[in-house]
Amino acid sequence: GKVYGFNLVYSGNFLSQVEVSTFDMTRVMLGINPQNFSYCLSEGESFQSPEVVMAYSEDGLNGLSQVYHRFFKYRLMHGKYKNQERPILLNNWEATFFDFNEEKILHIAKKAKEVGAELFVLDDGWFGKRNDDYRGLGDWDANLEKLPQGIAGLSKKVEALGLKFGLWFEVEMVNMDSDLYRAHPDWMIATPGRFPSHARHQHVLDYSRKEVVDYIYGKMAKILRESSISYIKWDMNRYMSEPYSAALDAERQGEMMHRYILGVYDLYHRLTTEFPDVLFESCASGGARYDAGLMYYAPQTWCSDDSDAAERAKIQYGTSIAYPIVSIGSHVSQVPNQQLYRNTPLETRANMAYFGTFGYELDLNLLPEKEIEEVKKQIQFMKEYRKLIQIDGDFYRLRSPFKGNETAFMAVSPKKDQALAMYFQTLNHVNASWIRFKLKGLEEDRLYRVQADLSPCLERLENPVLHASFNLEKKSLDYQAYGSELMEVGIPISRDDLSRKGGDFASILFKIDAKS
């Protein structure tokens, strides 16, 4: 049906309201949240309010999403990575946490190069005395005990392996146990006379103050100038609390949170201007930082630290309603998952991560050789299809994880001659019927070839009990059907196919190609 969408291009506190009057008139209002907000203007001064992207579609939420996806990809994002495929990366966080040195990092990076990754990202723990999350935020100088030649030396060694190098920052935050806080305690957001609330043992720097932004810019720019860095992950892991600036008079405290966001934009603007070839990834976890305002500077966002494949079904489904797939940070992480201790098949973890930027967050050296070979195939597959998924294709949500046990995504090329569709079930069913997996976006009168690998997942093959329960001989799906058939009748999926794929948390990826 007919759908209207409204999206505020702003990264600060906001309010969205929809109300229907007694005369059956609907009014939509979006803008800066009025709670604790005020702004003093002197004669001749002006104030610029945030813009709203309004969209309309006659094709339901999928149609509305596609309007937003095209607008954000082709109009809002800018710079080198506008309309560009994203590099396949490996991030060391879940592989090492804070416990690493240069030798361990290079050992992980070498394996990443071996399987075909293109970018290695060093996460938290490389700076100051940052051996845990109690200390070090704000001290953006390399820990030379871990990295004897600093970031400059490590980055050049990673590039010598044939990989690009990326680096993690959380530059809006400070720990009280840091040289920065000890030198400038007034740079921390805190209300005088009240206990400053911490989250993850960290506090928020006052970006409404130009000197704070200038200081952080100087630290980041120095590292970027001295090192070979292609990617920055900009984390933001907590909300603002006790919003008071020591630099503002009492009557101007209502300006503080808006001025803070302007400070964030100023820092992004300076960095992206001086370093236009660096890919910036913002981060939503904790700070709710997934918005069109930041997407102008950072064309992708790490949408959640919850990297479990089953959880990601809802996370990525919901994010896709407004934001394009190319902006969704998505990784294959280790099992048991470090948030939920859940085991999901390696195949499913990759199938879910394909519908995003795609990468890995684990130590590949710990995987058995069979899984390493599977990872190589996954990376090869993503390199072949990422242009369709990330740049050219129209994205469809086919089944909602919020309404049942299944999730399904699909990407269709502009000429409707190629498509990828992913079906995922959360839990297996007993004595259930066949599934009719109905697609969208194809040409009704066009003949398509449908292919899927139905061979059992590695976890099935290596479990003798499960091996005896099913016919685990290699099997594939390969048949032809017209677009109308695939959309109205659907692809038949057998419950045995899903059981071979693991049963719980099983997934199947379908390739659809038009016949010439």
Side-chain angles (χ1 to χ4, degrees):
K2 298 178 180 179
V3 187
Y4 296 87
F6 306 86
N7 192 297
L8 190 66
V9 187
Y10 187 60
S11 309
N13 291 339
F14 69 95
L15 181 66
S16 298
Q17 292 179 311
V18 181
E19 60 183 33
V20 181
S21 73
T22 55
F23 299 102
D24 203 27
M25 298 293 289
T26 301
R27 179 168 64 174
V28 180
M29 296 180 291
L30 294 89
I32 296 174
N33 196 317
Q35 184 173 353
N36 297 327
F37 171 76
S38 62
Y39 212 92
C40 300
L41 287 178
S42 300
E43 185 177 354
E45 292 183 334
S46 62
F47 179 87
Q48 182 177 346
S49 61
E51 297 174 321
V52 172
V53 179
M54 297 184 288
Y56 170 78
S57 174
E58 293 185 346
D59 299 318
L61 280 175
N62 270 324
L64 184 75
S65 296
Q66 290 166 9
V67 171
Y68 272 124
H69 293 181
R70 295 186 195 108
F71 176 81
F72 289 144
K73 283 193 293 186
Y74 304 139
R75 299 298 181 185
L76 184 71
M77 294 178 184
H78 81 297
K80 177 179 178 179
Y81 281 91
K82 177 181 179 180
N83 301 337
Q84 189 172 120
E85 301 159 22
R86 301 295 192 255
I88 296 171
L89 65 82
L90 185 138
N91 183 299
N92 76 294
W93 175 243
E94 292 195 19
T96 67
F97 293 106
F98 298 104
D99 183 19
F100 62 82
N101 55 29
E102 184 175 270
E103 182 182 4
K104 183 183 287 189
I105 290 300
L106 290 174
H107 184 55
I108 295 171
K110 287 176 183 176
K111 198 67 173 180
K113 173 60 179 176
E114 178 187 314
V115 298
E118 300 160 320
L119 169 68
F120 176 83
V121 180
L122 179 63
D123 210 279
D124 196 355
W126 58 267
F127 52 91
K129 298 178 181 179
R130 186 75 166 172
N131 294 314
D132 52 47
D133 59 4
Y134 287 83
R135 70 202 84 245
L137 281 176
D139 298 338
W140 300 109
D141 295 298
N143 183 330
L144 298 182
E145 293 181 5
K146 294 181 177 181
L147 308 172
Q149 295 177 295
I151 294 300
L154 176 64
S155 66
K156 291 177 175 61
K157 290 179 182 179
V158 170
E159 284 209 335
L161 296 174
L163 293 164
K164 297 294 186 181
F165 180 77
L167 191 61
W168 179 97
F169 286 91
E170 191 166 8
V171 288
E172 296 171 65
M173 302 295 152
V174 65
N175 291 122
M176 284 187 168
D177 186 357
S178 67
D179 293 339
L180 177 61
Y181 176 78
R182 285 184 281 270
H184 300 284
D186 60 317
W187 283 9
M188 185 181 87
I189 291 173
T191 302
R194 295 185 181 181
F195 176 79
S197 303
H198 65 82
R200 289 180 40 154
H201 318 294
Q202 64 192 40
H203 301 265
V204 186
L205 286 171
D206 186 358
Y207 268 47
S208 72
R209 302 177 65 158
K210 185 177 184 300
E211 62 269 31
V212 176
V213 177
D214 289 345
Y215 175 84
I216 297 297
Y217 170 72
K219 284 290 188 180
M220 294 184 73
K222 182 176 184 294
I223 294 170
L224 285 163
R225 291 178 194 130
E226 295 174 349
S227 310
S228 298
I229 296 175
S230 303
Y231 163 101
I232 293 295
K233 182 182 179 186
W234 183 316
D235 226 333
M236 205 289 189
N237 275 319
R238 64 156 292 178
Y239 288 98
M240 188 186 299
S241 58
E242 295 82 45
Y244 179 94
S245 173
L248 293 174
D249 296 334
E251 66 272 14
R252 288 192 173 270
Q253 289 300 324
E255 303 174 14
M256 182 261 163
M257 287 183 280
H258 179 66
R259 288 184 178 274
Y260 178 97
I261 292 301
L262 297 182
V264 172
Y265 290 159
D266 179 43
L267 181 56
Y268 262 114
H269 175 74
R270 287 197 245 176
L271 290 170
T272 54
T273 300
E274 183 174 352
F275 307 101
D277 292 333
V278 174
L279 171 60
F280 283 82
E281 178 177 283
S282 61
C283 181
S285 296
R289 277 286 182 80
Y290 211 123
D291 62 81
L294 279 189
M295 196 171 290
Y296 174 77
Y297 303 102
Q300 63 189 56
T301 303
W302 180 239
C303 61
S304 177
D305 279 341
D306 186 348
S307 58
D308 173 73
E311 291 280 293
R312 274 304 186 106
K314 288 183 176 179
I315 293 167
Q316 293 175 210
Y317 183 100
T319 303
S320 75
I321 291 175
Y323 300 108
I325 302 307
V326 72
S327 74
I328 300 175
S330 55
H331 295 170
V332 177
S333 61
Q334 71 176 41
V335 292
N337 178 266
Q338 291 183 350
Q339 287 85 26
L340 300 176
Y341 306 102
R342 176 183 286 151
N343 286 294
T344 53
L346 177 59
E347 183 178 20
T348 289
R349 282 175 274 156
N351 286 346
M352 195 64 68
Y354 288 145
F355 290 89
T357 58
F358 193 74
Y360 292 82
E361 194 149 341
L362 43 76
D363 187 349
L364 293 168
N365 293 289
L366 302 180
L367 299 185
E369 190 58 35
K370 285 183 179 179
E371 291 191 351
I372 288 295
E373 292 305 311
E374 185 69 20
V375 167
K376 290 179 181 179
K377 292 177 183 177
Q378 291 169 357
I379 291 176
Q380 184 179 359
F381 174 88
M382 190 59 183
K383 287 178 180 178
E384 182 179 353
Y385 285 96
R386 63 183 160 184
K387 191 171 189 291
L388 168 66
I389 297 170
Q390 296 178 349
I391 305 302
D392 293 340
D394 286 325
F395 179 75
Y396 291 86
R397 293 175 300 275
L398 303 177
R399 300 203 180 193
S400 170
F402 296 98
K403 295 181 179 179
N405 190 53
E406 305 158 307
T407 307
F409 301 142
M410 184 177 180
V412 183
S413 67
K415 294 181 179 179
K416 302 184 184 299
D417 59 348
Q418 187 181 46
L420 285 175
M422 190 274 295
Y423 177 91
F424 166 78
Q425 72 171 12
T426 306
L427 298 178
N428 213 2
H429 285 281
V430 177
N431 297 327
S433 64
W434 284 64
I435 297 159
R436 293 292 181 181
F437 181 32
K438 297 180 181 180
L439 307 184
K440 291 184 179 180
L442 303 176
E443 288 187 7
E444 291 186 357
D445 298 329
R446 204 166 189 177
L447 185 63
Y448 292 90
R449 181 185 182 186
V450 181
Q451 296 173 283
D453 178 9
L454 299 182
S455 58
C457 65
L458 292 174
E459 292 80 2
R460 280 289 194 204
L461 287 171
E462 294 169 1
N463 188 315
V465 175
L466 297 175
H467 201 288
S469 302
F470 295 95
N471 175 14
L472 297 184
E473 295 179 3
K474 185 174 178 62
K475 184 181 177 184
S476 63
L477 176 73
D478 191 340
Y479 77 106
Q480 296 181 13
Y482 283 94
S484 57
E485 196 177 343
L486 295 172
M487 292 188 289
E488 299 298 329
V489 179
I491 300 172
I493 301 177
S494 166
R495 292 291 173 182
D496 285 345
D497 294 339
L498 291 168
S499 295
R500 275 193 296 273
K501 288 293 186 183
D504 293 346
F505 317 119
S507 64
I508 301 175
L509 194 67
F510 297 90
K511 295 188 289 185
I512 301 101
D513 296 284
K515 297 289 291 182
S516 56

